[in-house]
């Protein structure tokens, strides 16, 4: 994940799924695009983590290995 210039706000839970007031993170334009293409996923454990993948649904990404600290 690059995010050298995080200029866009990304809703972790899509607004269309009730996430308008939920957590957001700042991403660069490229990472924001990857997140909406289901290639970049985020989760909260005791801190934010991310996973870059081939396109896959979030539920499947949660089971994958390779999560990294954001």
């Amino acid at each position: 994940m690059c995010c050298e210039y995080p200029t866009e706000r990304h809703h972790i839970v899509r607004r269309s799924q009730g996430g308008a007031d939920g957590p957001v993170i700042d991403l660069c334009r490229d990472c924001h695009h990857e997140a909406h293409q289901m290639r970049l996923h985020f989760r909260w454990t005791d801190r934010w983590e991310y996973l870059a993948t081939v396109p896959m649904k979030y539920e499947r990404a949660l089971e994958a290995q390779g999560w990294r600290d954001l």
Side-chain angles (χ1 to χ4, degrees):
M1 195 168 95
C2 69
C3 286
E4 291 181 27
Y5 303 101
T7 60
E8 299 186 11
R9 309 272 314 185
H10 176 69
H11 290 81
I12 300 297
V13 177
R14 292 180 185 238
R15 288 181 285 179
S16 63
Q17 295 175 332
D21 297 325
V24 294
I25 56 174
D26 294 328
L27 299 174
C28 69
R29 182 181 195 118
D30 291 338
C31 289
H32 196 196
H33 177 75
E34 293 295 299
H36 280 275
Q37 295 300 312
M38 297 168 54
R39 291 184 218 145
L40 187 58
H41 303 278
F42 304 92
R43 72 177 180 187
W44 176 261
T45 54
D46 59 338
R47 63 195 178 283
W48 283 111
E49 297 176 326
Y50 75 95
L51 178 69
T53 68
V54 297
M56 71 173 62
K57 294 190 179 236
Y58 184 66
E59 294 79 13
R60 185 168 164 223
L62 286 174
E63 299 171 359
Q65 300 295 316
W67 287 88
R68 299 175 185 246
D69 290 342
L70 187 63

